């Protein structure tokens, strides 16, 4: 009975939430960005979960795990659909180079110090602590687009070139985040493994990639038949469910399988735009449900997690500022790029929450600490990032630099 009640509340919230706009112009930009990110649904999950009314208890979360797998795979599928290489290669190559350098340096800046901090505070196998620190580094390197969207829609931007660069970085750096996270899951030995094995890691990585390629081939084959919009939606739902289920069977990431499936579909299916519009239409409701799951399963305690959250927040800001400055110096643009351009890349958003959820599925022992770190960081970054972006983009663009 409790499970049925929980399902009704979650479904009802998702339906209502998709019809509520977050773009209230009367609110300060920071709070508007938090609402756009959907953090209020996370706290609704806290109220309904084990820290609140316990309507969604641990048993209910276990029984709802199939939908969690589906939701994570759906997020990955949507993200992958945006990578049509024929369009991406038309953009300046230095965009990708800057994004790559920025992502790698931010990842290293956060992951390395946090590994030693986790090892100091938490008594768990070093392989789990290493995986947790890599997960935090992976999340730190990604950027949400919500703050950029709010600022650009409500402000006249002077430096359009820099805005385009920020949009590109925030669209693509999530790919690097998932790559770091995926390689960590594949390479770091599990708790029951004796030591690292290159062959075992290669097999697991190949299998996890196949979990996305095979469903994509099935979807492309189905799309060659005549179908209605409703049938196409059923195709996509079934394929996304298959991605999540296959990934779960090999104890790997449904985010990755969905990402691979989406990328293959984007580049080899002629109905790529139709698939993208179909998935985007349902994105908000699924994301709301995932946020409720995060809140319901979260158990905060006043301990070392708050120290780790503070250190993570500071390291991420420093990593973003340093890495983006270094990247833009190595690969200079033909227009003015401020030294503090990293201020425009602090927003974290949905992918960060999705990676934490994925980690919770695989390694629940340390998941509460990671959830505390990321939730605090997301709230703080969504509050400050619109103001920092506004100050950054409000700077006048100097005269065009001479082309050498």
């Amino acid at each position: 009975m409790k499970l049925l009640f929980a399902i009704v509340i979650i479904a009802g919230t998702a339906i209502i939430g998709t019809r509520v706009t977050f773009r209230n112009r009367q609110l300060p930009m920071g709070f508007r960005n938090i609402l756009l990110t959907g953090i209020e649904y996370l706290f609704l999950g806290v109220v309904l979960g084990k820290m609140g009314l316990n309507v969604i208890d641990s048993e209910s979360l276990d029984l709802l795990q199939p939908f969690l797998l589906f939701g994570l795979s759906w997020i990955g599928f949507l993200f992958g659909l945006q990578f049509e290489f024929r369009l991406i290669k038309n953009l300046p190559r230095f965009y990708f180079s800057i994004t790559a350098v920025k992502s790698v340096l931010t990842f290293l800046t956060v992951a390395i110090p946090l590994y030693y901090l986790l090892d100091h505070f938490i008594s768990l196998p070093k392989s789990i602590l290493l995986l947790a620190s890599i997960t935090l580094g992976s999340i730190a390197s990604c950027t949400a687009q919500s703050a950029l969207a709010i600022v650009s829609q409500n402000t006249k931007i002077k430096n359009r070139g820099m805005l385009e660069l920020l949009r590109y970085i925030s669209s693509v750096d999530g790919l690097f985040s998932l790559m770091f996270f995926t390689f960590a899951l594949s390479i770091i030995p599990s708790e029951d493994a004796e030591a690292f094995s290159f062959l075992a890691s290669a097999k697991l990585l190949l299998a996890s990639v196949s979990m996305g390629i095979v469903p994509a081939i099935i979807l492309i084959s189905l799309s060659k038949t005549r179908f209605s919009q409703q049938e196409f939606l059923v195709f996509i739902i079934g394929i996304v469910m298959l991605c999540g289920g296959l990934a779960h069977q090999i104890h790997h990431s449904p985010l990755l399988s969905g990402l691979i499936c989406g990328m293959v579909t984007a580049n080899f299916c002629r109905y790529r735009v139709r698939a993208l519009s179909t998935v985007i239409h349902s994105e908000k409701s699924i994301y709301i449900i995932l946020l409720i799951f995060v809140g319901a399963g979260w158990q905060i305690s006043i301990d070392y997690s708050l120290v780790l959250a503070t250190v993570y927040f500071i390291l991420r800001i420093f990593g973003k500022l340093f890495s983006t400055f270094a990247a833009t110096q190595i690969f200079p643009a033909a227009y003015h790029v401020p030294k503090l351009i990293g201020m425009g890349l602090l927003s974290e958003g949905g992918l960060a929450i999705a990676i934490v959820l994925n980690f919770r599925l695989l390694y629940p022992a340390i998941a509460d600490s990671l959830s505390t770190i990321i939730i605090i960081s997301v709230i703080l970054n969504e509050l400050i990032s619109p103001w920092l972006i506004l100050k950054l983009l409000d700077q006048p663009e100097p005269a065009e630099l001479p082309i050498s």
Side-chain angles (χ1 to χ4, degrees), residues 232-300:
F232 192 53
L233 176 60
V234 172
F235 292 166
I236 292 176
I237 291 174
I239 291 302
V240 171
M241 289 178 66
L242 179 61
C243 286
L246 290 174
H248 182 64
Q249 287 300 311
I250 63 170
H251 198 66
H252 215 272
S253 168
L255 270 173
L256 174 69
S257 60
L259 171 71
I260 298 297
C261 184
M263 293 177 69
V264 174
T265 301
N267 290 278
F268 297 100
C269 180
R270 58 179 176 174
Y271 296 106
R272 176 251 179 189
V273 175
R274 192 171 178 179
L276 184 59
S277 62
T278 300
V279 175
I280 287 177
H281 183 72
S282 304
E283 177 202 13
K284 188 174 179 181
S285 57
I286 290 176
Y287 182 54
I288 288 172
I289 294 173
L290 291 181
L291 284 169
I292 294 174
F293 281 172
V294 172
W298 183 29
Q299 183 67 53
I300 186 173

Side-chain angles (χ1 to χ4, degrees), residues 181-381:
F181 182 56
T182 298
F183 278 110
L185 290 179
S186 303
I187 294 173
I188 297 175
S190 59
E191 295 179 77
D192 55 351
E194 295 182 359
F196 168 75
S197 169
F198 177 80
L199 183 59
S201 297
K203 285 182 178 179
L204 181 57
L205 184 59
L206 180 61
S208 62
V209 172
S210 302
M211 298 303 98
I213 293 177
V214 172
I217 293 174
I218 297 174
L219 178 60
I220 293 170
S221 300
L222 289 172
S223 68
K224 293 180 179 179
T225 63
R226 296 186 63 180
F227 55 84
S228 64
Q229 179 62 29
Q230 291 77 13
E231 290 170 331
F232 192 53
L233 176 60
V234 172
F235 292 166
I236 292 176
I237 291 174
I239 291 302
V240 171
M241 289 178 66
L242 179 61
C243 286
L246 290 174
H248 182 64
Q249 287 300 311
I250 63 170
H251 198 66
H252 215 272
S253 168
L255 270 173
L256 174 69
S257 60
L259 171 71
I260 298 297
C261 184
M263 293 177 69
V264 174
T265 301
N267 290 278
F268 297 100
C269 180
R270 58 179 176 174
Y271 296 106
R272 176 251 179 189
V273 175
R274 192 171 178 179
L276 184 59
S277 62
T278 300
V279 175
I280 287 177
H281 183 72
S282 304
E283 177 202 13
K284 188 174 179 181
S285 57
I286 290 176
Y287 182 54
I288 288 172
I289 294 173
L290 291 181
L291 284 169
I292 294 174
F293 281 172
V294 172
W298 183 29
Q299 183 67 53
I300 186 173
S301 56
I302 308 301
D303 56 8
Y304 57 82
S305 297
L306 298 181
V307 176
L308 292 171
T310 303
V311 173
Y312 169 84
F313 178 72
I314 295 171
L315 285 174
R316 184 174 183 270
I317 292 177
F318 172 77
K320 290 280 188 176
L321 294 175
F322 164 72
S323 63
T324 314
F325 170 74
T328 52
Q329 295 301 304
I330 297 171
F331 302 100
Y335 46 80
H336 174 64
V337 176
K339 293 181 179 180
L340 297 179
I341 185 176
M343 290 195 309
L345 300 170
L346 295 183
S347 182
E348 279 182 291
L351 187 58
I353 299 295
I355 293 176
V356 166
L357 262 176
N358 201 153
F359 185 89
R360 176 179 289 277
L361 274 174
L362 301 173
Y363 298 96
I366 194 177
D368 282 329
S369 295
L370 261 67
S371 297
T372 301
I373 294 169
I374 298 305
I375 289 170
I376 292 174
S377 177
V378 166
I379 293 172
L380 293 177
N381 279 308

Side-chain angles (χ1 to χ4, degrees), residues 62-73:
D62 290 339
L63 293 173
L64 291 170
Q65 188 180 94
F67 186 86
L68 180 55
L69 293 170
F70 170 76
L72 290 172
S73 183

